[in-house]
Amino acid sequence: MSKPRILVTRRWPASVEVVLSERFDATLNKDDVALDSGQLREALHAHDAVLPTVSDKLPAALFEGQTIRTKILGNFGVGFNHIDIAAARQKGIVVTNTPGVLTDCTADIAMLLLLSVARRGGEGEREVRAGAWTGWRPTHLVGTKVTGKTVGIIGFGRIGRAFAQRCHFGFGMDVVFYNRSAIDPMEASRYGAMQLQTVEDVLDISDFVSLHCPGGAENRHLMNAARFAAMKPGAFLINTARGDVVDEAALIAALEQGTIRGAGLDVYEAEPHVPERLRAMDNVVLLPHLGSATEETRTAMGMKVVDNITAFFAGQEPPDRVV
């Protein structure tokens, strides 16, 4: 019996690619060049499974036609707002994701961004590399103290809770959060956190605001001009969620006008494009979507996909099915 034919859209950890090649008739992207829409459309017509990442856009138009061969999209990542879920469902295509395994590393990156922007780490690192540091002095790159401040979290899922734990137990921060559904107060207290009723309630009292909510239409531009204006004066924004959660034009305006003091970003609206005005700002720390970028986590994510598509082709329910 022939093996299912699968396409992997980008390079994955070598150990995962070995397993995929052993179990399936796998086409790997050895050059690690992003596929364009035409190539992705062709993949859907020629393979039993396509294994996309957040960098692969699969809008409804790609699912048009009657000759689609793909029966499962094994998404490499938790978020799947880059896939038109309704169109996939209409075609009977199963979609899976990789929850759980990237929680700690993404929370670590959020903490790195918070510390870096508060203590002006990016500015200092660039100054040293440029050979422009003239020595220690009392007023040099004075930042903001982190310990004991209030952090507000938007979205209290796995990553939001892991981030709260780091903030409260690692830095003695007061933690407040907004979540669409109610969280048991006893559960929230495990992370030193307290739930507030609205996003605005969180913004009003937080020295740092960290986003940990899903992307997609429901949360598109959740952080807009009005909400930047509602933030505590001198506060910072941290985003490791999805780029579309933030209105980048409104964020740039808020930073340039001093409405907020700074931002730490790992995700962007039109990745890999980052607006020049953002790149020019010293009070912004910019990372290239590194949230899950550790060897351990990326391998675990890949093996989650392996488990999902292996189960599917064995006639079993994929453990991480979202559609």
Side-chain angles (χ1 to χ4, degrees), residues 206-271:
S206 299
D207 300 296
F208 301 89
V209 174
S210 190
L211 307 178
H212 298 281
C213 49
E218 182 177 353
N219 287 325
R220 177 172 171 76
H221 290 182
L222 179 144
M223 290 302 298
N224 51 33
R227 283 189 163 141
F228 286 123
M231 287 176 67
K232 185 177 178 180
F236 298 84
L237 178 76
I238 309 298
N239 188 17
T240 57
R242 280 291 182 262
D244 61 2
V245 175
V246 175
D247 181 339
E248 272 181 7
L251 171 61
I252 291 168
L255 289 163
E256 290 179 340
Q257 295 164 13
T259 305
I260 65 174
R261 185 167 178 177
L265 308 174
D266 190 41
V267 289
Y268 310 90
E269 277 201 87
E271 295 183 15

Side-chain angles (χ1 to χ4, degrees), residues 146 148-152 167-168 171-176 192-194 206:
V146 171
K149 294 294 180 69
T150 297
V151 62
C167 291
H168 182 70
F171 293 88
M173 303 181 80
D174 293 326
V175 181
V176 295
M194 179 175 66
S206 299

Side-chain angles (χ1 to χ4, degrees), residues 79-100:
F80 45 86
N81 58 303
H82 53 291
I83 302 169
D84 191 305
I85 295 300
R89 182 186 290 112
Q90 187 176 19
K91 288 293 184 180
I93 299 174
V94 171
V95 180
T96 63
N97 69 343
T98 62

